[in-house]
Amino acid sequence: MWAPNARQVSVIGDFNGWNARAHVMRNLGVSGIWETFVPDVGNGDRYKFEILSRVDGARLQKTDPYGVFFESDASGAA
């Protein structure tokens, strides 16, 4: 994940109860690249990245920019 202005990046999803503390990614330095390995994730498991902004402390949830399948918002939020 490329997030050059992030203080922290986590993988959240079905496999960890959408808990940002469960799979915190490692910053690879000035490149802005973050990495991790999450074992036992299966095809079809839903996930996003949670980014904690270094600029204003906001928590943002982002989809995978390389994802090939996305579900529509089933929450009913408009």
Side-chain angles (χ1 to χ4, degrees):
M1 164 59 91
W2 184 66
N5 293 316
R7 184 180 316 156
Q8 177 180 306
V9 179
S10 301
V11 181
I12 58 174
D14 292 335
F15 47 84
N16 65 12
W18 300 90
N19 179 354
R21 287 182 240 144
H23 295 99
V24 176
M25 300 178 79
R26 179 171 60 122
N27 185 343
L28 296 182
V30 297
S31 68
I33 303 292
W34 296 75
E35 73 170 3
T36 194
F37 175 75
V38 182
D40 302 323
V41 175
N43 286 338
D45 281 350
R46 297 177 303 160
Y47 71 97
K48 290 183 182 182
F49 297 101
E50 183 169 293
I51 301 168
L52 176 61
S53 172
R54 180 185 318 276
V55 177
D56 61 5
R59 288 194 178 274
L60 309 165
Q61 291 185 1
K62 301 287 185 176
T63 59
D64 186 340
Y66 295 101
V68 295
F69 176 79
F70 298 89
E71 68 177 19
S72 62
D73 183 5
S75 69

